[in-house]
Amino acid sequence: MTFELFIFYLFSAVTLFSAVAVVTVRNPIYSALFLILAFFSSAATWVLLEAEFLGVVLVLVYVGAVMVLFLFVIMMLDIQIDTIREGFIRYLPVGILVAVAVAAEMILVVNSEVFNVDIPAPTPLSVNNTEALGEVLYTEYVFPFQIAAVILVVAIISAIVLTLRRRKGVKKQDPSKQVRTRREDRIRMVKMKAEKRQ
Amino acid sequence: MLLFSLIPMQFQTPNILLATPEMFLLAGTCFVLLTDLFVKDSQRFITYLLTQIVLLVTAGLVLFGTTEMNLILAESYQATGQSGATAFSDMFVLDPMAQILKISILLVTVGVFVYSREYLRARDMYKGEFFTLGLFAVLGMMIMVSAKTMLLIYLGLELLSLAMYAMVAFKRDDGRASEAAMKYFVLGAIASGMLLYGMSIIYGVSGSLHLDHIANYMSTHPVMENIGLLLGLAFIIVGLGFKLGVVPFHMWVPDVYDGSPTAVTLFLGTAPKIAAFAMVIRLLVEGMGDMVQGWQQILSLLAALSLLAGNIIAIAQTNIKRMLAYSTISHMGFVLMGILAGSHEGYAASMFYIITYAIIAMGVFAVVLLLSREGYEADQLNDLKGLSSRHPWYAFMMMLFLFSMAGVPPTVGFYAKLSVITAVVDANIIWLAVFGVVMSVIGAYYYLRAIKLMYFDKPEGSTSSVLALVKWDFRVLLSLNGLSVLALGILPGTLMTVCLKAIQSSL
């Protein structure tokens, strides 16, 4: 076993273990952390495939941004694990049945001759793959690239439309309103008759 | 197998002007988005008007083309002898089929926005983002229609779907709408995953994402013994089935139709269907035409099941939107019938069917919108009771739409069904043709029941006697819509010829 192969098996094992852990651990925080581990070790696999740009992007975007956001959301929401787990045992037999059937079918097909091809030899590139990706992204693939950008715009607009709203009864501070307050807003002059001596 | 070197040595500037309508639509959408920020709530009409202008100008650009576009098309015609040209490294294609489908999508969307304006205003949904998201969805549909690679098909589909999810959830405080949006989103994501997985397998086997390269690979290899390609095909059909809403991937359709605000249902049930048709034609016919034996069998089963489940479950519905959802499922079965016939006549019949279906569905939902008003959704069949005594003209329009859906001559639905069934008979799949006829007879029951409610039943109390305040544009468009169903039914020849010519010169 070469060192490279050893590294590959190590990272693959970590990926598989952490992916299983994501869906089995009880605490959602641990679950998210295991997902980070899964992302990180698959990024390492990518680097082994000499696709270092994709590996770096996976760490930067998913681990750095998406998962941090996930953790924020999980910590801010009061998630009742028990209600989420409800019905887990009840649906388990069907779930296992479907999973086993799909896995068996996939294994049968993937083991067929069609997929039994030699691993293609890597094409040596004169430039590093970040540069190579950059060149095709803005030439050959400029149209899909632009559409992907439009999809991100739609995501932003949708997120804002669905979350931005004026809610009533929110105790939010408005400094300019606080500064502009007048005496009449705060105190009320009440005229009362003096109470009679008893 | 790499079909082109990773880094092009000499990169030729793509004929980007061929995509002028798309670029105009994108620029116009951004303009509408920004203008809306400076518009007060009382002046929302400006946003609405700009949206309509952008859509109409885009339709004009698709129809007439700019000088440069026509020049590129003419050069391509001289070079290849085919009408239609490609741009962006052959990823984008503008052929007659794409043109007709794009114009239909744009015009249907114009109608959808005219119909939904008053409904949105009455429900505090009259916001600029509704129109912006709608425009983005239209852009996604146009990209799907013109896509020549699986990459663009997928991106266009996602652009459409993301905008639609947000529109379904637009009334975010409404529990039913949120539920519908969640269901739509989760099932749509699964469908996208299936589609992507199928695409990746096809890519793995054939070595390219481009539909022409895939077709080349398939014509030179034995495809029906290749289990990898068959697996990819199966996954792609599952994904397409979800998006079209055919049995057994139809579970989301009634819930989403019922839960979304009616204006969104109106949009959801019309224009995206045309884009879904284009996606099926591009992927199955253009890309995997040599696997016709494979997909013909699967589609026959899906079509038969859709006709059966759609028509029979619709009988049990008391809610108009749910009934129309099941009716959509059965209509999609008819559309699949035309495609699986595997002939140019069949594809043209399906194209005719889907375009006219979009027109009819638009009218039916418009009448449902007409009957509902502030704080009240007229989504029960009983709300139709006695419509003819209150509003004879609208009742007549609704009758035309329902007759057309049932396939009663002289409305267009009859001719659409006839041409699809003829194509299936010509393809020698007699059992399916007979089954289709029997099922549409069963389906006629629930359409006729709605007509009976309108014409022979007394209105129930005063609750359903008030008509929503709709402007003249709504009334004029609804009348035109109804009369077009009749006119297309009496003179279907022009549209049918256009569809057939487009299919013949595009495929």
Side-chain angles (χ1 to χ4, degrees):
Chain A
M1 189 158 49
T2 62
F3 182 64
E4 200 182 330
L5 207 61
F6 169 73
I7 298 277
F8 171 75
Y9 280 122
L10 180 70
F11 279 114
S12 307
V14 173
T15 311
L16 285 177
F17 165 75
S18 48
V20 171
V22 171
V23 287
T24 47
V25 292
R26 288 193 73 84
N27 190 330
I29 302 278
Y30 292 166
S31 193
L33 290 174
F34 271 117
L35 194 57
I36 292 179
L37 185 58
F39 280 143
F40 194 81
S41 43
S42 35
T45 320
W46 245 332
V47 173
L48 274 183
L49 283 171
E50 295 179 23
E52 62 270 4
F53 178 74
L54 291 177
V56 170
V57 166
L58 189 68
V59 172
L60 281 182
V61 175
Y62 277 87
V63 179
V66 175
M67 286 318 295
V68 172
L69 212 64
F70 261 48
L71 280 175
F72 267 131
V73 172
I74 294 171
M75 288 177 184
M76 282 165 101
L77 295 179
D78 181 24
I79 298 175
Q80 298 291 329
I81 304 159
D82 292 331
T83 51
I84 294 173
R85 297 266 159 168
E86 211 174 299
F88 182 74
I89 297 295
R90 193 151 60 92
Y91 298 125
L92 194 62
V94 182
I96 287 178
L97 192 73
V98 172
V100 168
V102 172
E105 285 169 357
M106 296 298 303
I107 289 168
L108 279 178
V109 171
V110 173
N111 273 339
S112 71
E113 281 178 28
V114 183
F115 292 99
N116 195 7
V117 287
D118 296 330
I119 297 164
T123 329
L125 281 177
S126 50
V127 289
N128 65 47
N129 72 47
T130 312
E131 208 176 325
L133 270 176
E135 279 188 38
V136 286
L137 214 51
Y138 287 94
T139 52
E140 290 273 344
Y141 291 94
V142 63
F143 193 58
F145 187 60
Q146 296 294 330
I147 302 307
V150 175
I151 292 177
L152 291 181
V153 174
V154 171
I156 293 175
I157 296 173
S158 314
I160 293 173
V161 165
L162 295 181
T163 50
L164 183 71
R165 57 187 173 150
R166 306 262 175 272
R167 269 191 298 189
K168 289 200 178 79
V170 180
K171 291 177 178 157
K172 199 171 70 173
Q173 287 190 335
D174 183 354
S176 85
K177 217 173 166 185
Q178 287 174 327
V179 171
R180 276 188 285 120
T181 189
R182 294 167 305 163
R183 192 188 66 162
E184 291 80 43
D185 299 336
R186 292 290 158 86
I187 52 171
R188 189 161 52 110
M189 299 296 282
V190 185
K191 277 239 160 82
M192 292 176 79
K193 275 181 192 163
E195 280 185 29
K196 278 179 192 163
R197 185 176 293 177
Q198 287 181 335
Chain B
M1 181 171 57
L2 275 176
L3 287 159
F4 45 84
S5 73
L6 194 58
I7 301 168
M9 286 298 121
Q10 297 138 330
F11 176 71
Q12 295 193 328
T13 321
N15 295 329
I16 52 169
L17 286 172
L18 207 57
T20 310
E22 278 80 3
M23 289 191 275
F24 177 81
L25 181 62
L26 179 57
T29 310
C30 295
F31 182 70
V32 171
L33 181 68
L34 291 179
T35 313
D36 185 63
L37 292 177
F38 300 99
V39 166
K40 285 195 204 102
D41 274 349
S42 55
Q43 300 166 324
R44 198 65 72 206
F45 184 72
I46 298 173
T47 314
Y48 165 77
L49 204 66
L50 275 175
T51 308
Q52 297 289 41
I53 292 171
V54 167
L55 284 171
L56 287 173
V57 173
T58 313
L61 282 174
V62 178
L63 184 60
F64 301 112
T66 57
T67 325
E68 287 83 6
M69 277 168 74
N70 292 333
L71 202 68
I72 296 169
L73 283 171
E75 274 175 10
S76 163
Y77 185 74
Q78 281 196 330
T80 59
Q82 282 177 326
S83 40
T86 54
F88 295 105
S89 321
D90 290 344
M91 286 182 176
F92 177 93
V93 63
L94 189 70
D95 50 16
M97 184 181 90
Q99 280 176 313
I100 291 167
L101 291 177
K102 279 181 194 176
I103 292 170
S104 321
I105 288 170
L106 288 161
L107 293 184
V108 165
T109 311
V110 169
V112 165
F113 285 159
V114 169
Y115 285 144
S116 41
R117 189 156 62 99
E118 290 303 318
Y119 179 92
L120 297 176
R121 198 204 299 277
R123 277 161 189 77
D124 199 24
M125 288 168 64
Y126 194 46
K127 293 180 187 143
E129 287 79 15
F130 185 87
F131 298 109
T132 324
L133 288 172
L135 286 175
F136 276 122
V138 172
L139 181 65
M141 291 182 232
M142 287 175 71
I143 290 161
M144 280 161 77
V145 168
S146 264
K148 219 30 174 155
T149 74
M150 299 212 261
L151 183 63
L152 269 186
I153 291 179
Y154 178 71
L155 285 173
L157 179 67
E158 282 305 286
L159 182 53
L160 164 67
S161 309
L162 281 176
M164 291 309 313
Y165 302 146
M167 284 174 88
V168 171
F170 209 73
K171 251 170 96 177
R172 54 152 295 160
D173 293 324
D174 180 359
R176 271 154 51 83
S178 306
E179 186 197 333
M182 279 305 289
K183 274 185 184 160
Y184 192 26
F185 177 69
V186 172
L187 288 175
I190 292 174
S192 294
M194 294 278 182
L195 194 65
L196 266 186
Y197 195 59
M199 285 175 173
S200 71
I201 294 172
I202 301 278
Y203 173 69
V205 177
S206 72
S208 175
L209 282 172
H210 195 282
L211 295 176
D212 286 346
H213 300 164
I214 294 170
N216 275 342
Y217 174 87
M218 290 196 175
S219 60
T220 51
H221 290 76
V223 282
M224 294 312 290
E225 286 95 63
N226 190 324
I227 193 157
L229 286 177
L230 287 173
L231 182 77
L233 175 73
F235 271 104
I236 283 185
I237 289 182
V238 171
L240 292 177
F242 261 112
K243 295 294 173 189
L244 277 172
V246 291
V247 181
F249 314 111
H250 66 291
M251 288 309 186
W252 60 273
V253 182
D255 290 338
V256 173
Y257 271 47
D258 184 25
S260 349
T262 312
V264 179
T265 314
L266 166 70
F267 188 39
L268 191 71
T270 50
K273 301 282 176 201
I274 302 177
F277 164 79
M279 182 166 72
V280 176
I281 290 280
R282 294 271 184 226
L283 273 176
L284 294 189
V285 179
E286 281 193 5
M288 292 186 265
D290 283 297
M291 296 187 81
V292 60
Q293 277 178 300
W295 49 259
Q296 196 173 43
Q297 287 173 1
I298 307 179
L299 291 192
S300 312
L301 194 65
L302 295 186
L305 285 175
S306 303
L307 288 168
L308 184 74
N311 280 319
I312 289 182
I313 303 176
I315 294 173
Q317 304 303 318
T318 54
N319 179 310
I320 302 178
K321 279 155 87 180
R322 287 192 87 85
M323 187 190 94
L324 288 173
Y326 283 106
S327 125
T328 306
I329 294 171
S330 73
H331 284 289
M332 288 305 121
F334 267 106
V335 172
L336 284 188
M337 271 169 73
I339 296 173
L340 65 88
S343 61
H344 281 173
E345 287 75 20
Y347 307 142
S350 271
M351 192 168 159
F352 182 85
Y353 199 105
I354 200 83
I355 292 173
T356 52
Y357 173 75
I359 296 172
I360 302 163
M362 197 166 86
V364 172
F365 282 112
V367 176
V368 178
L369 282 178
L370 187 75
L371 294 175
S372 55
R373 59 182 177 278
E374 205 165 343
Y376 179 73
E377 295 278 339
D379 55 4
Q380 295 301 311
L381 270 176
N382 283 341
D383 291 320
L384 286 176
K385 274 189 180 172
L387 185 67
S388 74
S389 58
R390 288 179 283 137
H391 305 287
W393 179 246
Y394 298 130
F396 177 63
M397 290 294 131
M398 186 66 166
M399 186 182 76
L400 282 181
F401 297 134
L402 290 172
F403 269 152
S404 190
M405 282 198 162
V408 177
T411 53
V412 67
F414 168 72
Y415 190 77
K417 281 197 169 61
L418 179 72
S419 50
V420 166
I421 288 171
T422 317
V424 175
V425 170
D426 286 343
N428 245 332
I429 316 176
I430 309 291
W431 69 270
L432 189 59
V434 173
F435 189 73
V437 173
V438 172
M439 281 303 139
S440 47
V441 171
I442 293 177
Y445 166 74
Y446 59 85
Y447 297 121
L448 291 177
R449 183 179 56 180
I451 294 172
K452 178 222 159 218
L453 286 173
M454 288 192 304
Y455 276 87
F456 300 107
D457 284 17
K458 291 255 179 328
E460 269 184 355
S462 61
T463 48
S464 53
S465 62
V466 193
L467 202 62
L469 287 169
V470 292
K471 297 267 164 52
W472 61 271
D473 50 354
F474 188 111
R475 291 161 197 265
V476 170
L477 186 67
L478 184 61
S479 308
L480 279 177
N481 199 342
L483 294 177
S484 71
V485 168
L486 201 58
L488 279 171
I490 296 168
L491 300 164
T494 321
L495 183 58
M496 194 68 207
T497 321
V498 168
C499 288
L500 192 60
K501 281 234 172 86
I503 290 284
Q504 276 169 345
S505 54
S506 305
L507 295 182

